[in-house]
Amino acid sequence: MVTETKRRSQPSRRAKKKKKIGISKRFAQIARITFSVLLIAAVLFGGGFFVYSVATIPPYDPGKLDFDATSKVYDINGELIANLHGEENRTPVSLDRIPWELQKAVLAMEDNRFYEHHGFDFRGITRALFRTLTGRRLEGGSTITNQVAKMAFLVEDRKLSRKIQEVFVSLRLEKDYTKDEILEFYLNRLFMGGSAYGMQEAAMYYFGKDVSELNLAESAMLAGIIPAPNYYSPYVSMERAKSKQKETLNNMVRFGYISEEERQAALEQPIVLANRSQKNKTNASSYFVSYVRDQVIKILQDKGYSLREAQQEVFTGGLTINTTLDLRMQRAAEQGMEEILNRYLVSKLANKEERNAQGILQPQSAVILLDVKTGGVRAMIGGREPANDKHNRAVQLLKQQPGSAIKPLTVFGPAIESGKFTAASIIVDEPIYENGPENPPYPVNYSGTYAGPVTLRYAIQQSLNVPAWKIGKENGITSMIEFAKRLGITTLVEKPIDGHDDRNLAALAIGGLTHGVIPIEMAQAFSAIANKGVLNETFTISSIIDSRGQVIYEYRPQQKVVLSEEVAFILNSLLENPVNHGTASSVRSLGGYHGPAAGKTGTTSYNREVWFAGYTPDIAAAIYIGHDSNTTGYKAGDGGYGRLLPEGSSSYITSAMFGKIMSNIYAQMPAPTEFYSSMPENVVKLAIDRKTGLLAGPDCPGENIIEEYFIVGTEPQEVCSAHSQPVLPEEPIEEPGDEISPEEPGLEDPQQPLDPDDANPGEDEPNIEPNG
């Protein structure tokens, strides 16, 4: 009984087994449910992630693959001056300009089956995976289409979502574009090291040639450095670059693009890298290009662009900007300026590295050259340190006082045009007292001496202040201002500013202007004289072409007649004298130029600033040297600073610079032989006595007789008789009504300063210039 009870209380083996099976079934069911849930969750998540990835693919314009392109600035002969670009320096080219060898070299290294697959190369992915897993070589499986998808439309990262997006974008690219279009975009978009993007800039950067000129050896090297251009760059390591070149050539043989013989010949061909020295670079890349850049932006704004749009178009729009600059003249100007400055000025300075409070090297200099016939800027130098200095003194007003360089535009030009004076007019160079008899003579000549009776020609030749003052006083302030403005001078102040204006002889006769002048305007004014009285508007841009080859701007010449041909002829003849015999003779003696030239020097008081403004038959120039302010340089006689050299005038430096620049230019191109082949019809040439200004008589000494030009109707009618018989002085007879009032029209009373220091409105000293 007890035994039976025990048996009943203990489960049978069968029951235990049955129970164990039941538990296993429940676990299996739970596992199956769990797995199903996880599977469903994974599918839902994966599907959702997939849908999300596809849905977040960035939109793209199916009409055109696009990218930023570098704008190019060219000189008048088609030589590249500079690139204007943002972060990427790129010049897109069509596929047909890229050599076959370079195309195949890139395919051999990046995607040999490019023309066979449809965006994804599964065979290539499998091969790359196998080689990577077996440790034979780390290899990527991306096709060129995949890389274009990443370049153009996707964010560069390693997320799975980006890989999914890459698949779909690649498929869309293959659908919307031809293989050649995709390859063209790829070859133009690649980063190739340094500042070069795309194969055109890479060819220029590494080999200094157009991409179409690359040979097989160079093409293989460029294709080889694509994975890491800064690491494999031949500028960094020619050994690494040659290794990648060899690998590329081996692949090209392997895929049947070239023969073994071609491979061997390419390996043996020397690689000649571009000359990246500073030897042939010019300051134009700073001063002129900055000026042109601003001009292009203004032109685009005039066409309706906003400022931001115009700037973006300049730096990323791939514009072709054709300019008037002649790089041959630019280099000649830079070399001439540096040589003359170093020889005649810098070498004599006690402090050759003096800088002002802004850290700018002093003294400074500027040069502008214009084409006489068109007004196009042929050369521009805005200062001595383009890398550190943003002031373009050639085109910006920095209160550069002109001294006597202004006289042809305010004194002698108006005098000849008025008919009151001729080149033979006699003016007495003597002490005058414009500040009153109780004060010292004013104005005075730079030398402090006087020449007595002189012709107008001699006065301009020797840059005499007293005759200039007298001529201006008789001719009138109004005509002086009107003449200068007509020839393009815009800085004259006619209404008082802080008590100063330029309606006075101190400003107009000897160059003490309130705001000074701008070199480009001085060159323009003198070019009108050289161009027979025709004034051309100055310009720097001849045309602008957009990335599609459409001309969006073309300069239309603007010129006007500002002088009669006979007045221009007489002025030109007068301005030859300073160069041939007077204050600008260093054009010949120090500058070495012996062709036809005319011009005028200018020196401000205490030798603070010096000028030369003049021309040849082809080229007009304005050259300036001076301190940016009176805080640097040698101490002057008025207690301030700014003097260029301790003693004397320095205007011979600017005229020597002009001569040297012209010598450099005409060593490279045909030199002109004369200004005029014949006289204008309304001009006559007569023999006169230079002491009296009258027609030469039979008794005039030979040394007194010179030939002079006259506008018909202004020539002297009286024959000189001073040497044939004694001439007794006659008492002047005053007829009633002959008194001349200062208020008479054309003879305005000039503003007479109380002392010489007030003769230079707006400046610290009078602007009295003599020998220059």
Side-chain angles (χ1 to χ4, degrees):
M1 191 71 182
V2 174
T3 304
E4 187 66 24
T5 304
K6 287 182 177 180
R7 286 178 180 175
R8 289 179 179 177
S9 62
Q10 295 178 356
S12 65
R13 291 182 178 177
R14 182 176 297 177
K16 289 180 179 181
K17 186 175 182 182
K18 188 175 180 180
K19 185 177 180 180
K20 186 179 294 185
I21 291 173
I23 293 171
S24 298
K25 284 182 178 181
R26 285 196 295 274
F27 274 114
Q29 289 174 347
I30 293 171
R32 283 197 296 273
I33 293 170
T34 302
F35 178 76
S36 298
V37 170
L38 291 175
L39 182 61
I40 292 170
V43 170
L44 291 173
F45 177 78
F49 183 78
F50 181 82
V51 171
Y52 167 79
S53 299
V54 173
T56 56
I57 295 175
Y60 76 101
D61 177 8
K64 182 180 181 236
L65 288 171
D66 204 1
F67 37 65
D68 293 348
T70 297
S71 292
K72 303 282 186 179
V73 182
Y74 293 97
D75 86 334
I76 194 172
N77 300 309
E79 186 175 350
L80 180 67
I81 300 173
N83 294 317
L84 299 177
H85 57 84
E87 295 181 359
E88 301 178 1
N89 180 20
R90 176 185 293 107
T91 302
V93 293
S94 59
L95 191 62
D96 58 13
R97 275 187 58 191
I98 299 175
W100 179 90
E101 293 85 352
L102 179 55
Q103 295 182 42
K104 295 305 179 183
V106 171
L107 294 179
M109 290 298 287
E110 297 297 313
D111 187 0
N112 180 54
R113 297 187 66 252
F114 173 70
Y115 282 97
E116 299 173 25
H117 62 65
H118 298 288
F120 267 81
D121 185 6
F122 294 103
R123 186 191 305 176
I125 293 173
T126 303
R127 182 181 65 250
L129 181 62
F130 173 76
R131 289 183 176 179
T132 300
L133 292 176
T134 57
R136 294 173 61 183
R137 186 175 64 182
L138 185 64
E139 186 173 304
S142 291
T143 66
I144 285 177
T145 308
N146 299 157
Q147 294 183 59
V148 169
K150 288 184 286 185
M151 288 175 178
F153 305 111
L154 302 175
V155 177
E156 184 64 40
D157 61 38
R158 296 181 179 275
K159 293 179 180 179
L160 179 60
S161 62
R162 207 269 293 150
K163 292 293 184 184
I164 295 172
Q165 292 172 347
E166 187 180 302
V167 173
F168 279 85
V169 173
S170 296
L171 293 174
R172 290 173 66 179
L173 283 171
E174 292 277 347
K175 176 178 178 294
D176 292 336
Y177 300 95
T178 66
K179 287 286 188 178
D180 283 353
E181 288 174 332
I182 294 172
L183 181 60
E184 180 180 302
F185 178 87
Y186 179 71
L187 295 175
N188 279 305
R189 184 66 181 261
L190 283 168
F191 170 61
M192 294 300 294
S195 62
Y197 284 78
M199 288 302 177
Q200 171 64 17
E201 287 303 325
M204 294 299 300
Y205 179 73
Y206 291 109
F207 307 117
K209 59 174 67 174
D210 189 89
V211 66
S212 62
E213 300 172 354
L214 294 176
N215 57 40
L216 176 58
E218 294 162 340
S219 297
M221 182 168 286
L222 286 186
I225 69 175
I226 288 174
N230 283 336
Y231 179 76
Y232 292 117
S233 166
Y235 288 123
V236 176
S237 171
M238 181 60 77
E239 183 180 355
R240 290 197 292 262
K242 293 283 285 185
S243 174
K244 295 300 290 184
Q245 178 200 46
K246 183 176 182 180
E247 182 183 343
T248 304
L249 292 169
N250 289 342
N251 278 0
M252 293 182 76
V253 172
R254 173 184 163 199
F255 295 128
Y257 296 139
I258 60 173
S259 66
E260 177 60 35
E261 290 75 16
E262 289 173 314
R263 182 192 80 92
Q264 191 59 38
L267 286 173
E268 294 173 0
Q269 186 165 357
I271 293 293
V272 180
L273 297 179
N275 179 10
R276 300 183 59 77
S277 71
Q278 300 294 317
K279 181 178 178 181
N280 293 321
K281 294 188 177 181
T282 75
N283 289 343
S285 62
S286 176
Y287 294 115
F288 181 78
V289 173
S290 296
Y291 184 74
V292 164
R293 176 201 63 204
D294 294 342
Q295 292 292 306
V296 174
I297 289 172
K298 184 178 184 301
I299 289 170
L300 294 177
Q301 285 184 284
D302 290 343
K303 291 183 173 294
Y305 288 68
S306 68
L307 176 60
R308 181 179 176 278
E309 290 169 340
Q311 291 172 334
Q312 185 172 1
E313 185 70 6
V314 167
F315 291 108
T316 66
L319 300 177
T320 296
I321 304 166
N322 297 309
T323 75
T324 62
L325 192 87
D326 189 324
L327 277 172
R328 297 172 302 173
M329 295 191 189
Q330 179 71 27
R331 295 183 185 110
E334 290 171 4
Q335 292 164 7
M337 185 182 90
E338 183 177 7
E339 179 180 339
I340 296 299
L341 278 179
N342 287 338
R343 182 179 299 177
Y344 298 111
L345 179 60
V346 176
S347 62
K348 300 177 182 180
L349 298 177
N351 183 357
K352 297 176 175 56
E353 292 294 327
E354 185 176 18
R355 296 179 182 274
N356 62 14
Q358 290 72 42
I360 299 172
L361 186 66
Q362 300 295 317
Q364 275 294 330
S365 184
V367 176
I368 189 82
L369 303 183
L370 303 180
D371 186 293
V372 165
K373 303 301 180 186
T374 68
V377 173
R378 293 290 182 253
M380 178 186 291
I381 305 174
R384 294 173 59 197
E385 281 190 316
N388 302 323
D389 182 13
K390 301 303 181 184
H391 293 118
N392 189 341
R393 295 162 188 80
V395 296
Q396 291 177 327
L397 180 63
L398 298 177
K399 285 199 171 184
Q400 303 105 314
Q401 295 298 321
S404 287
I406 199 69
K407 289 176 182 176
L409 310 180
T410 55
V411 176
F412 299 109
I416 297 297
E417 188 175 63
S418 72
K420 299 176 184 177
F421 294 87
T422 70
S425 293
I426 300 296
I427 306 100
V428 180
D429 181 27
E430 61 185 352
I432 58 176
Y433 297 86
E434 292 294 323
N435 287 337
E438 71 282 1
N439 292 309
Y442 179 83
V444 296
N445 295 323
Y446 190 80
S447 63
T449 62
Y450 304 91
V454 296
T455 62
L456 183 146
R457 180 179 291 275
Y458 186 82
I460 194 172
Q461 172 184 306
Q462 299 304 125
S463 195
L464 300 176
N465 288 328
V466 172
W469 187 285
K470 286 184 174 183
I471 293 170
K473 186 174 183 178
E474 182 172 342
N475 210 36
I477 298 294
T478 299
S479 66
M480 299 171 79
I481 289 179
E482 188 277 330
F483 190 96
K485 289 172 63 177
R486 197 189 330 146
L487 269 67
I489 302 300
T490 65
T491 57
L492 299 180
V493 177
E494 297 186 69
K495 295 182 178 180
I497 298 177
D498 296 329
H500 297 293
D501 63 62
D502 293 330
R503 295 190 61 84
N504 60 84
L505 292 175
L508 298 174
I510 53 178
L513 300 176
T514 304
H515 288 160
V517 292
I518 308 171
I520 193 170
E521 289 189 358
M522 290 291 284
Q524 180 188 33
F526 276 73
S527 74
I529 302 172
N531 197 31
K532 302 180 180 181
V534 178
L535 180 73
N536 289 294
E537 181 182 87
T538 60
F539 70 106
T540 57
I541 301 169
S542 54
S543 67
I544 303 173
I545 303 170
D546 68 17
S547 59
R548 298 179 299 277
Q550 301 296 312
V551 177
I552 61 175
Y553 170 79
E554 192 165 17
Y555 177 75
R556 295 181 179 179
Q558 299 184 39
Q559 54 182 214
K560 57 184 176 181
V561 177
V562 293
L563 300 175
S564 67
E565 186 176 354
E566 54 266 24
V567 169
F569 179 87
I570 300 293
L571 274 177
N572 176 80
S573 173
L574 290 172
L575 288 170
E576 288 183 275
N577 268 57
V579 173
N580 294 331
H581 311 291
T583 57
S585 59
S586 61
V587 167
R588 315 263 191 230
S589 61
L590 302 180
Y593 176 65
H594 299 285
K600 184 70 188 72
T601 53
T603 306
T604 63
S605 61
Y606 304 113
N607 197 34
R608 280 191 165 103
E609 295 158 304
V610 291
W611 286 78
F612 178 85
Y615 51 84
T616 69
D618 303 324
I619 305 164
I623 299 172
Y624 161 83
I625 302 173
H627 289 266
D628 287 345
S629 67
N630 292 343
T631 61
T632 54
Y634 289 96
K635 193 170 185 178
D638 61 355
Y641 290 84
R643 192 179 186 95
L644 290 172
L645 289 173
E647 302 294 336
S649 169
S650 300
S651 63
Y652 71 92
I653 300 175
T654 47
S655 50
M657 192 181 295
F658 173 80
K660 187 63 181 177
I661 291 171
M662 294 304 113
S663 297
N664 291 345
I665 289 174
Y666 291 122
Q668 306 174 62
M669 57 190 71
T673 57
E674 58 187 355
F675 283 109
Y676 286 84
S677 57
S678 61
M679 292 189 305
E681 291 183 3
N682 205 29
V683 172
V684 294
K685 187 177 184 180
L686 301 172
I688 65 163
D689 185 295
R690 62 186 178 88
K691 295 293 187 182
T692 65
L694 302 177
L695 295 172
D699 297 320
C700 291
E703 65 270 17
N704 282 11
I705 300 174
I706 61 172
E707 290 188 312
E708 189 56 88
Y709 297 107
F710 299 90
I711 298 173
V712 172
T714 65
E715 67 271 23
Q717 302 298 315
E718 184 182 348
V719 177
C720 177
S721 58
H723 309 285
S724 57
Q725 60 183 358
V727 179
L728 299 176
E730 297 180 0
E731 292 293 328
I733 302 175
E734 294 185 1
E735 295 293 335
D738 279 356
E739 295 84 5
I740 298 178
S741 167
E743 285 74 35
E744 250 182 82
L747 292 173
E748 292 93 322
D749 188 21
Q751 298 176 13
Q752 297 179 359
L754 295 177
D755 61 71
D757 286 350
D758 292 332
N760 191 7
E763 295 296 315
D764 295 330
E765 73 286 323
N767 222 317
I768 302 173
E769 184 278 2
N771 293 329

